[in-house]
Amino acid sequence: MIARLAGVSVPTVSRVINGRSDVAPQTRERVEELLTRHGYRRRLPSRRTSSALIDLVFNDLDSPWAVEIIRGVEDVAHSSGAGTVVSAIHQRTSSAKQWLDNMRGRSTEGVIFVTSMVAPPLQAELRRLNLPVVIVDPAGVAPQEAPTIGATNWAGSLEANQYLLGLGHRRVGFIAGPPQLMCSRARLDGYRAALDAAGVAVDDALIRPGNFYHESGYAAGTQLLALPDPPTAIFASSDQMALGVYEAVRKRGLRVPDDVSVVGFDDLPEVRWCSPPLTTVRQPLVEMGMLAARTVLRLARGEKIESPRIELATELVVRDSTAPPSRTR
């Protein structure tokens, strides 16, 4: 827009923004006046001072999953001489507006959104402020210009469910994550693909909704175990939901894995200490945070990135919560 109003090319505007000397004085004056009038933020690619900040925005912060992302972002920010501002906008318009108002008053290098829907008005305002944006596990379709960071959710779910099928399970329950998240949909698709490849028909009664938190895992686990023909294994789309399934199993007087095998997704630090230690799909949460921070800092310096869509590899971590189905059932 600035280039069009000034009657110059986009590279010329970029040279003005970045303080380059190869711009005619009259052109520079015209572009700078338009930048000021339209509220564009000036970006200095070489800047790296202790006052530089990365804004890290979640929908909610009440999850150990979020802590792992923060750890990764903080590690890169600290080593780069930048600080981190962590916010939760709770999917409310008023919260997003307040965050924007606060963010305008600080020297933000760029913004990392985590499992967030970046609404078009918010996208437009961030473009107006000339701030780079990176999205971790986007909700819905990400803005075309925003790089996304994720994990191989489909492949991780496929591997986990193939493992359960390889143990001999044929009644495998599935607890989904929030349907608006692309990672949730990929995990459900991986579950279906594993069953299909094994020649096992998908039973919709074995698929239950969840929201990644303990309570929904407990509720879904309770429903699955109350079926006339209950599953012998349950794959939960998050570790927290898997731990909710543990409680549902206990309340029913059953045991993991003697009566029901349970698999999670995330590999949060605490799941190796639960009883029994949880078999789960490790997604590299800290590494995802680190990559998001490196990417947003590179964009802030005006550097190009290799790929706008990056998925880090998952890994099945087998512990003691899985076993072949009991012959007594």
Side-chain angles (χ1 to χ4, degrees):
M1 180 181 71
I2 296 298
R4 177 173 53 80
L5 292 174
V8 298
S9 67
V10 172
T12 297
V13 175
S14 178
R15 287 196 291 271
V16 172
I17 290 173
N18 291 309
R20 295 267 296 273
S21 60
D22 51 345
V23 181
Q26 299 89 340
T27 301
R28 180 184 303 279
E29 182 178 351
R30 185 164 69 253
V31 171
E32 287 183 338
E33 190 276 330
L34 286 166
L35 289 169
T36 301
R37 183 191 308 171
H38 290 275
Y40 272 74
R41 295 281 294 272
R42 303 300 303 276
R43 309 209 55 76
L44 301 177
S46 61
R47 184 182 70 180
R48 188 54 76 233
T49 69
S50 58
S51 62
L53 297 171
I54 297 172
D55 264 75
L56 178 57
V57 183
F58 294 83
N59 284 330
D60 290 291
L61 286 169
D62 54 350
S63 167
W65 182 90
V67 174
E68 298 300 293
I69 297 289
I70 293 170
R71 283 177 54 202
V73 172
E74 287 257 296
D75 184 72
V76 170
H78 178 75
S79 64
S80 302
T84 308
V85 179
V86 180
S87 306
I89 57 176
H90 306 291
Q91 297 183 325
R92 292 197 300 264
T93 302
S94 59
S95 296
K97 182 179 183 302
Q98 183 179 5
W99 169 75
L100 265 175
D101 291 342
N102 293 336
M103 187 268 297
R104 289 189 189 99
R106 49 183 178 256
S107 56
T108 295
E109 292 286 284
V111 183
I112 300 170
F113 288 100
V114 184
T115 62
S116 299
M117 176 69 76
V118 186
L122 184 55
Q123 296 175 32
E125 180 62 11
L126 291 169
R127 280 195 295 268
R128 191 182 72 81
L129 295 172
N130 195 34
L131 284 172
V133 170
V134 175
I135 303 177
V136 176
D137 273 343
V141 178
Q144 187 173 5
E145 70 276 11
T148 62
I149 310 294
T152 52
N153 292 285
W154 182 87
S157 176
L158 177 75
E159 184 180 12
N161 286 286
Q162 285 180 331
Y163 169 70
L164 289 171
L165 292 162
L167 289 176
H169 295 280
R170 290 299 179 266
R171 297 280 294 169
V172 180
F174 179 86
I175 305 177
Q180 72 273 20
L181 296 182
M182 295 178 70
C183 62
S184 298
R185 298 198 292 270
R187 292 172 200 177
L188 176 57
D189 289 344
Y191 164 79
R192 292 180 181 276
L195 294 181
D196 182 64
V200 176
V202 175
D203 183 350
D204 288 338
L206 294 178
I207 300 174
R208 300 287 161 154
N211 61 10
F212 287 161
Y213 292 97
H214 294 91
E215 293 82 2
S216 67
Y218 172 74
T222 299
Q223 295 165 7
L224 288 169
L225 294 173
L227 291 172
D229 186 9
T232 60
I234 297 175
F235 174 72
S237 294
S238 76
D239 285 350
Q240 287 185 281
M241 292 197 300
L243 295 181
V245 173
Y246 270 37
E247 181 63 10
V249 171
R250 187 189 68 81
K251 286 285 186 68
R252 200 161 180 85
L254 303 174
R255 297 178 63 185
V256 175
D258 303 45
D259 303 297
V260 184
S261 288
V262 180
V263 178
F265 200 110
D266 286 331
D267 196 26
L268 299 175
E270 62 264 34
V271 301
R272 70 193 67 178
W273 304 111
C274 61
S275 182
L278 179 68
T279 294
T280 188
V281 178
R282 179 184 184 270
Q283 63 169 333
L285 297 171
V286 173
E287 292 87 344
M288 287 162 63
M290 294 174 69
L291 181 57
R294 290 193 191 103
T295 302
V296 83
L297 289 173
R298 287 184 64 184
L299 291 172
R301 293 193 295 265
E303 299 176 7
K304 290 185 178 180
I305 58 173
E306 289 74 18
S307 174
R309 305 287 181 266
I310 298 176
E311 289 188 342
L312 301 183
T314 55
E315 176 189 4
L316 180 64
V317 181
V318 177
R319 298 194 179 100
D320 298 337
S321 66
T322 46
S326 171
R327 296 183 180 180
T328 62
R329 291 194 60 186

Short mmCIF file of all heavy atoms in Angstrom, two decimals, residues 217-258:
data_model
loop_
_atom_site.label_atom_id
_atom_site.label_comp_id
_atom_site.label_asym_id
_atom_site.label_seq_id
_atom_site.Cartn_x
_atom_site.Cartn_y
_atom_site.Cartn_z
N GLY A 217 -10.57 -36.03 29.01
CA GLY A 217 -10.05 -37.39 28.91
C GLY A 217 -10.77 -38.33 29.86
O GLY A 217 -11.09 -39.48 29.51
N TYR A 218 -11.04 -37.83 31.08
CA TYR A 218 -11.77 -38.64 32.05
C TYR A 218 -13.19 -38.91 31.57
O TYR A 218 -13.68 -40.05 31.63
CB TYR A 218 -11.81 -37.92 33.40
CG TYR A 218 -12.70 -38.59 34.42
CD1 TYR A 218 -12.31 -39.77 35.05
CD2 TYR A 218 -13.94 -38.04 34.74
CE1 TYR A 218 -13.14 -40.39 35.97
CE2 TYR A 218 -14.77 -38.65 35.66
CZ TYR A 218 -14.36 -39.82 36.28
OH TYR A 218 -15.19 -40.44 37.19
N ALA A 219 -13.87 -37.87 31.07
CA ALA A 219 -15.26 -38.04 30.60
C ALA A 219 -15.32 -38.99 29.41
O ALA A 219 -16.16 -39.91 29.37
CB ALA A 219 -15.84 -36.68 30.21
N ALA A 220 -14.42 -38.81 28.44
CA ALA A 220 -14.43 -39.67 27.26
C ALA A 220 -14.04 -41.10 27.63
O ALA A 220 -14.64 -42.08 27.13
CB ALA A 220 -13.48 -39.13 26.20
N GLY A 221 -13.06 -41.26 28.52
CA GLY A 221 -12.66 -42.59 28.95
C GLY A 221 -13.79 -43.31 29.66
O GLY A 221 -14.01 -44.52 29.45
N THR A 222 -14.53 -42.58 30.49
CA THR A 222 -15.67 -43.16 31.20
C THR A 222 -16.72 -43.66 30.22
O THR A 222 -17.27 -44.76 30.36
CB THR A 222 -16.28 -42.13 32.15
OG1 THR A 222 -15.28 -41.74 33.12
CG2 THR A 222 -17.49 -42.68 32.88
N GLN A 223 -17.00 -42.86 29.19
CA GLN A 223 -17.98 -43.24 28.18
C GLN A 223 -17.52 -44.47 27.39
O GLN A 223 -18.31 -45.39 27.13
CB GLN A 223 -18.22 -42.07 27.23
CG GLN A 223 -18.87 -40.87 27.87
CD GLN A 223 -18.76 -39.62 27.01
OE1 GLN A 223 -18.33 -39.68 25.86
NE2 GLN A 223 -19.16 -38.48 27.56
N LEU A 224 -16.26 -44.49 27.02
CA LEU A 224 -15.75 -45.62 26.24
C LEU A 224 -15.78 -46.92 27.03
O LEU A 224 -16.16 -47.97 26.52
CB LEU A 224 -14.32 -45.33 25.78
CG LEU A 224 -14.16 -44.28 24.67
CD1 LEU A 224 -12.69 -43.89 24.51
CD2 LEU A 224 -14.73 -44.80 23.35
N LEU A 225 -15.41 -46.85 28.31
CA LEU A 225 -15.37 -48.06 29.13
C LEU A 225 -16.76 -48.56 29.50
O LEU A 225 -16.92 -49.71 29.91
CB LEU A 225 -14.55 -47.79 30.40
CG LEU A 225 -13.06 -47.51 30.15
CD1 LEU A 225 -12.38 -47.09 31.44
CD2 LEU A 225 -12.36 -48.73 29.54
N ALA A 226 -17.78 -47.70 29.35
CA ALA A 226 -19.15 -48.10 29.66
C ALA A 226 -19.86 -48.73 28.45
O ALA A 226 -21.01 -49.19 28.58
CB ALA A 226 -19.95 -46.88 30.14
N LEU A 227 -19.19 -48.78 27.31
CA LEU A 227 -19.82 -49.39 26.13
C LEU A 227 -20.04 -50.89 26.35
O LEU A 227 -19.27 -51.54 27.08
CB LEU A 227 -18.92 -49.19 24.90
CG LEU A 227 -18.79 -47.76 24.37
CD1 LEU A 227 -17.71 -47.71 23.28
CD2 LEU A 227 -20.12 -47.26 23.82
N PRO A 228 -21.06 -51.46 25.72
CA PRO A 228 -21.28 -52.91 25.84
C PRO A 228 -20.05 -53.72 25.41
O PRO A 228 -19.75 -54.76 25.98
CB PRO A 228 -22.48 -53.16 24.91
CG PRO A 228 -23.18 -51.85 24.84
CD PRO A 228 -22.11 -50.80 24.93
N ASP A 229 -19.37 -53.24 24.38
CA ASP A 229 -18.13 -53.87 23.94
C ASP A 229 -17.03 -52.82 24.00
O ASP A 229 -16.69 -52.18 23.00
CB ASP A 229 -18.29 -54.40 22.50
CG ASP A 229 -17.07 -55.21 22.04
OD1 ASP A 229 -16.19 -55.50 22.87
OD2 ASP A 229 -17.01 -55.52 20.83
N PRO A 230 -16.45 -52.61 25.18
CA PRO A 230 -15.51 -51.49 25.37
C PRO A 230 -14.18 -51.74 24.67
O PRO A 230 -13.84 -52.89 24.32
CB PRO A 230 -15.33 -51.45 26.88
CG PRO A 230 -15.57 -52.85 27.32
CD PRO A 230 -16.64 -53.39 26.42
N PRO A 231 -13.42 -50.69 24.44
CA PRO A 231 -12.11 -50.86 23.81
C PRO A 231 -11.12 -51.56 24.75
O PRO A 231 -11.23 -51.44 25.98
CB PRO A 231 -11.66 -49.43 23.52
CG PRO A 231 -12.37 -48.61 24.55
CD PRO A 231 -13.71 -49.27 24.75
N THR A 232 -10.17 -52.25 24.18
CA THR A 232 -9.08 -52.84 24.96
C THR A 232 -7.88 -51.90 25.01
O THR A 232 -6.93 -52.14 25.75
CB THR A 232 -8.64 -54.19 24.38
OG1 THR A 232 -8.19 -53.99 23.03
CG2 THR A 232 -9.80 -55.18 24.39
N ALA A 233 -7.92 -50.84 24.19
CA ALA A 233 -6.86 -49.83 24.19
C ALA A 233 -7.50 -48.49 23.85
O ALA A 233 -8.50 -48.42 23.12
CB ALA A 233 -5.78 -50.17 23.17
N ILE A 234 -6.92 -47.42 24.40
CA ILE A 234 -7.41 -46.07 24.13
C ILE A 234 -6.22 -45.18 23.76
O ILE A 234 -5.24 -45.11 24.50
CB ILE A 234 -8.15 -45.48 25.35
CG1 ILE A 234 -9.39 -46.31 25.67
CG2 ILE A 234 -8.53 -44.02 25.09
CD1 ILE A 234 -10.13 -45.87 26.93
N PHE A 235 -6.34 -44.52 22.62
CA PHE A 235 -5.35 -43.54 22.21
C PHE A 235 -5.94 -42.16 22.44
O PHE A 235 -6.96 -41.79 21.86
CB PHE A 235 -4.98 -43.71 20.74
CG PHE A 235 -4.07 -42.64 20.21
CD1 PHE A 235 -2.74 -42.60 20.59
CD2 PHE A 235 -4.53 -41.67 19.34
CE1 PHE A 235 -1.88 -41.61 20.11
CE2 PHE A 235 -3.69 -40.68 18.85
CZ PHE A 235 -2.36 -40.65 19.24
N ALA A 236 -5.31 -41.38 23.31
CA ALA A 236 -5.75 -40.02 23.61
C ALA A 236 -4.85 -39.03 22.88
O ALA A 236 -3.62 -39.20 22.84
CB ALA A 236 -5.71 -39.77 25.11
N SER A 237 -5.44 -37.97 22.33
CA SER A 237 -4.69 -37.02 21.51
C SER A 237 -3.82 -36.07 22.31
O SER A 237 -3.22 -35.16 21.73
CB SER A 237 -5.66 -36.21 20.64
OG SER A 237 -6.29 -37.04 19.70
N SER A 238 -3.75 -36.24 23.63
CA SER A 238 -2.82 -35.48 24.45
C SER A 238 -2.51 -36.27 25.70
O SER A 238 -3.30 -37.13 26.13
CB SER A 238 -3.39 -34.11 24.84
OG SER A 238 -4.35 -34.24 25.88
N ASP A 239 -1.36 -36.00 26.30
CA ASP A 239 -0.98 -36.68 27.54
C ASP A 239 -1.96 -36.36 28.66
O ASP A 239 -2.29 -37.23 29.48
CB ASP A 239 0.42 -36.26 27.97
CG ASP A 239 1.51 -36.92 27.13
OD1 ASP A 239 1.19 -37.84 26.36
OD2 ASP A 239 2.67 -36.49 27.26
N GLN A 240 -2.40 -35.12 28.74
CA GLN A 240 -3.33 -34.77 29.81
C GLN A 240 -4.62 -35.57 29.71
O GLN A 240 -5.15 -36.03 30.73
CB GLN A 240 -3.62 -33.26 29.78
CG GLN A 240 -2.46 -32.41 30.26
CD GLN A 240 -2.85 -30.95 30.33
OE1 GLN A 240 -2.88 -30.25 29.32
NE2 GLN A 240 -3.15 -30.48 31.52
N MET A 241 -5.13 -35.74 28.51
CA MET A 241 -6.34 -36.55 28.36
C MET A 241 -6.04 -38.02 28.68
O MET A 241 -6.88 -38.72 29.25
CB MET A 241 -6.91 -36.41 26.95
CG MET A 241 -7.47 -35.03 26.66
SD MET A 241 -8.58 -34.95 25.22
CE MET A 241 -7.50 -35.50 23.91
N ALA A 242 -4.85 -38.49 28.34
CA ALA A 242 -4.49 -39.87 28.67
C ALA A 242 -4.48 -40.07 30.19
O ALA A 242 -4.94 -41.11 30.69
CB ALA A 242 -3.12 -40.21 28.09
N LEU A 243 -4.01 -39.08 30.94
CA LEU A 243 -4.02 -39.20 32.40
C LEU A 243 -5.45 -39.15 32.94
O LEU A 243 -5.77 -39.77 33.96
CB LEU A 243 -3.17 -38.09 33.02
CG LEU A 243 -1.67 -38.17 32.68
CD1 LEU A 243 -0.92 -37.03 33.36
CD2 LEU A 243 -1.07 -39.51 33.07
N GLY A 244 -6.34 -38.44 32.24
CA GLY A 244 -7.76 -38.49 32.59
C GLY A 244 -8.33 -39.88 32.37
O GLY A 244 -9.17 -40.36 33.15
N VAL A 245 -7.88 -40.56 31.31
CA VAL A 245 -8.30 -41.94 31.05
C VAL A 245 -7.83 -42.85 32.19
O VAL A 245 -8.56 -43.74 32.63
CB VAL A 245 -7.77 -42.43 29.70
CG1 VAL A 245 -8.06 -43.92 29.51
CG2 VAL A 245 -8.39 -41.64 28.55
N TYR A 246 -6.62 -42.63 32.70
CA TYR A 246 -6.13 -43.41 33.83
C TYR A 246 -7.14 -43.38 34.98
O TYR A 246 -7.44 -44.41 35.60
CB TYR A 246 -4.81 -42.81 34.34
CG TYR A 246 -3.54 -43.34 33.72
CD1 TYR A 246 -3.48 -43.67 32.37
CD2 TYR A 246 -2.38 -43.47 34.47
CE1 TYR A 246 -2.31 -44.13 31.81
CE2 TYR A 246 -1.20 -43.93 33.92
CZ TYR A 246 -1.17 -44.25 32.58
OH TYR A 246 0.00 -44.72 32.02
N GLU A 247 -7.65 -42.18 35.27
CA GLU A 247 -8.60 -42.05 36.38
C GLU A 247 -9.91 -42.76 36.06
O GLU A 247 -10.52 -43.39 36.94
CB GLU A 247 -8.86 -40.57 36.67
CG GLU A 247 -9.80 -40.28 37.82
CD GLU A 247 -9.29 -40.78 39.17
OE1 GLU A 247 -8.11 -41.19 39.27
OE2 GLU A 247 -10.08 -40.76 40.14
N ALA A 248 -10.36 -42.68 34.80
CA ALA A 248 -11.58 -43.39 34.42
C ALA A 248 -11.41 -44.90 34.57
O ALA A 248 -12.32 -45.60 35.03
CB ALA A 248 -11.96 -43.03 32.98
N VAL A 249 -10.24 -45.40 34.21
CA VAL A 249 -9.95 -46.83 34.35
C VAL A 249 -9.97 -47.23 35.82
O VAL A 249 -10.56 -48.24 36.22
CB VAL A 249 -8.59 -47.17 33.70
CG1 VAL A 249 -8.18 -48.60 34.03
CG2 VAL A 249 -8.65 -46.97 32.18
N ARG A 250 -9.33 -46.40 36.65
CA ARG A 250 -9.27 -46.70 38.09
C ARG A 250 -10.66 -46.70 38.71
O ARG A 250 -11.01 -47.59 39.49
CB ARG A 250 -8.38 -45.67 38.79
CG ARG A 250 -8.11 -45.98 40.25
CD ARG A 250 -7.41 -44.84 40.95
NE ARG A 250 -8.28 -43.67 41.09
CZ ARG A 250 -9.19 -43.55 42.06
NH1 ARG A 250 -9.38 -44.52 42.95
NH2 ARG A 250 -9.94 -42.46 42.12
N LYS A 251 -11.48 -45.71 38.34
CA LYS A 251 -12.82 -45.60 38.89
C LYS A 251 -13.68 -46.81 38.52
O LYS A 251 -14.63 -47.14 39.23
CB LYS A 251 -13.50 -44.32 38.42
CG LYS A 251 -12.98 -43.03 39.07
CD LYS A 251 -13.52 -42.90 40.49
CE LYS A 251 -13.13 -41.57 41.12
NZ LYS A 251 -13.79 -40.42 40.50
N ARG A 252 -13.37 -47.45 37.42
CA ARG A 252 -14.15 -48.60 36.98
C ARG A 252 -13.61 -49.90 37.58
O ARG A 252 -14.11 -50.99 37.28
CB ARG A 252 -14.16 -48.67 35.46
CG ARG A 252 -15.33 -49.51 34.92
CD ARG A 252 -15.60 -49.21 33.49
NE ARG A 252 -16.71 -50.01 33.00
CZ ARG A 252 -17.99 -49.68 33.12
NH1 ARG A 252 -18.33 -48.53 33.69
NH2 ARG A 252 -18.95 -50.48 32.68
N GLY A 253 -12.59 -49.79 38.43
CA GLY A 253 -12.03 -50.98 39.06
C GLY A 253 -11.13 -51.77 38.16
O GLY A 253 -10.89 -52.96 38.39
N LEU A 254 -10.61 -51.12 37.11
CA LEU A 254 -9.73 -51.79 36.16
C LEU A 254 -8.30 -51.27 36.33
O LEU A 254 -8.04 -50.35 37.11
CB LEU A 254 -10.21 -51.53 34.73
CG LEU A 254 -11.65 -51.96 34.41
CD1 LEU A 254 -12.05 -51.51 33.01
CD2 LEU A 254 -11.81 -53.47 34.57
N ARG A 255 -7.38 -51.85 35.57
CA ARG A 255 -5.99 -51.47 35.68
C ARG A 255 -5.37 -51.24 34.30
O ARG A 255 -5.76 -51.89 33.31
CB ARG A 255 -5.19 -52.56 36.41
CG ARG A 255 -5.63 -52.80 37.84
CD ARG A 255 -4.83 -53.92 38.49
NE ARG A 255 -3.40 -53.58 38.58
CZ ARG A 255 -2.48 -54.43 39.02
NH1 ARG A 255 -2.82 -55.66 39.38
NH2 ARG A 255 -1.21 -54.04 39.09
N VAL A 256 -4.42 -50.31 34.27
CA VAL A 256 -3.61 -50.04 33.07
C VAL A 256 -2.25 -50.72 33.29
O VAL A 256 -1.62 -50.52 34.33
CB VAL A 256 -3.41 -48.52 32.88
CG1 VAL A 256 -2.47 -48.25 31.70
CG2 VAL A 256 -4.74 -47.79 32.71
N PRO A 257 -1.77 -51.55 32.35
CA PRO A 257 -2.36 -51.94 31.06
C PRO A 257 -3.05 -53.30 31.11
O PRO A 257 -3.42 -53.80 30.06
CB PRO A 257 -1.12 -52.02 30.17
CG PRO A 257 -0.08 -52.59 31.08
CD PRO A 257 -0.36 -52.00 32.44
N ASP A 258 -3.20 -53.89 32.32
CA ASP A 258 -3.75 -55.24 32.41
C ASP A 258 -5.10 -55.37 31.72
O ASP A 258 -5.37 -56.35 31.02
CB ASP A 258 -3.90 -55.64 33.88
CG ASP A 258 -2.59 -55.56 34.65
OD1 ASP A 258 -1.88 -54.55 34.47
OD2 ASP A 258 -2.28 -56.47 35.41
#
